[in-house]
């Protein structure tokens, strides 16, 4: 699986990039490298959270799930997520929460390392955190897919 997340200052900037001759040439050459059809999800509903530089992440995890009620989830990201993560998950540098118009949600979590992330996942969390997490996850389809990016490239402008 190949996953490429690109952030632009605006939807207009993304479309302007798509029309650049260099971009079109690159895509024409690159699309042939994939064995199956490439899916592009354009999301204008994007929130970021965190306290660190994602480019310094030693490990990245992707979650994809169908969101059932976007407005119900909105209060959880980013302010509440930052408050909870600062206190309970020092291994998480930050993340990105992207919702496509069809309800597909892609969550990106940047961690200091895979080992620290696994340790954080296995740490017993206080009841208030569990309740917060359960309430948040109730607004997603049960069938979430997780992808651990073991070989990732991060680059910010």
């Amino acid at each position: 699986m190949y996953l490429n997340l690109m952030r632009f200052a605006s939807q207009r900037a993304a479309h302007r990039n798509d029309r650049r001759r260099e971009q079109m040439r690159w895509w024409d050459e690159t699309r042939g490298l994939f064995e199956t059809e490439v899916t592009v999800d354009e999301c204008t509903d994007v929130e970021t959270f965190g306290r660190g530089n994602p480019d310094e992440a030693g490990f990245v995890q992707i979650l994809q799930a169908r969101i059932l009620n976007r407005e119900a989830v909105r209060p959880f990201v980013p302010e509440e997520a930052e408050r909870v993560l600062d206190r309970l998950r020092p291994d998480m540098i930050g993340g990105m929460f992207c919702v496509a118009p069809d309800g597909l949600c892609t969550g990106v979590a940047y961690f200091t390392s895979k080992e620290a992330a696994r340790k954080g996942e296995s740490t017993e969390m206080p009841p208030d955190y569990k309740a917060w997490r359960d309430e948040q996850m109730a607004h997603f389809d049960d069938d979430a897919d997780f992808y651990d990016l073991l070989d990732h490239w991060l680059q910010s402008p």
Side-chain angles (χ1 to χ4, degrees):
M1 179 174 136
Y2 175 81
L3 180 67
N4 184 350
L5 298 168
M6 300 177 73
R7 287 177 41 200
F8 293 90
S10 67
Q11 186 175 17
R12 184 177 178 189
H15 289 182
R16 192 171 42 243
N17 181 67
D18 284 346
R19 292 189 301 272
R20 289 178 42 238
R21 207 170 302 138
E22 300 91 342
Q23 175 67 16
M24 289 188 279
R25 186 173 32 251
W26 172 83
W27 181 239
D28 286 343
E29 293 171 6
T30 303
R31 83 171 74 194
L33 300 174
F34 294 95
E35 295 176 1
T36 60
E37 186 67 29
V38 174
T39 301
V40 176
D41 292 315
E42 188 172 307
C43 302
T44 56
D45 184 355
V46 177
E47 297 183 60
T48 60
F49 61 92
R51 60 196 172 284
N53 180 355
D55 289 349
E56 296 174 3
F59 177 63
V60 179
Q61 188 174 67
I62 307 294
L63 164 121
Q64 286 193 312
R66 190 81 38 203
I67 197 166
L68 303 173
N69 183 341
R70 173 62 177 116
E71 292 311 311
V73 174
R74 196 171 300 281
F76 291 95
V77 180
E79 294 86 8
E80 186 68 13
E82 287 192 35
R83 183 185 69 75
V84 170
L85 294 174
D86 278 346
R87 188 168 52 102
L88 300 172
R89 293 297 302 268
D91 56 308
M92 188 180 288
I93 295 170
M96 188 165 49
F97 188 78
C98 314
V99 182
D102 68 354
L104 179 65
C105 173
T106 301
V108 183
Y110 303 106
F111 296 94
T112 54
S113 70
K114 182 178 179 181
E115 295 75 24
R118 293 298 182 241
K119 181 179 177 187
E121 288 172 356
S122 64
T123 301
E124 184 67 29
M125 294 295 162
D128 63 329
Y129 175 82
K130 287 181 184 176
W132 175 84
R133 183 80 175 143
D134 289 348
E135 184 181 351
Q136 179 188 30
M137 296 312 291
H139 302 292
F140 290 88
D141 188 331
D142 288 339
D143 297 326
D145 294 315
F146 288 85
Y147 303 98
D148 290 349
L149 303 186
L150 304 175
D151 183 16
H152 63 275
W153 301 334
L154 300 170
Q155 179 181 1
S156 296

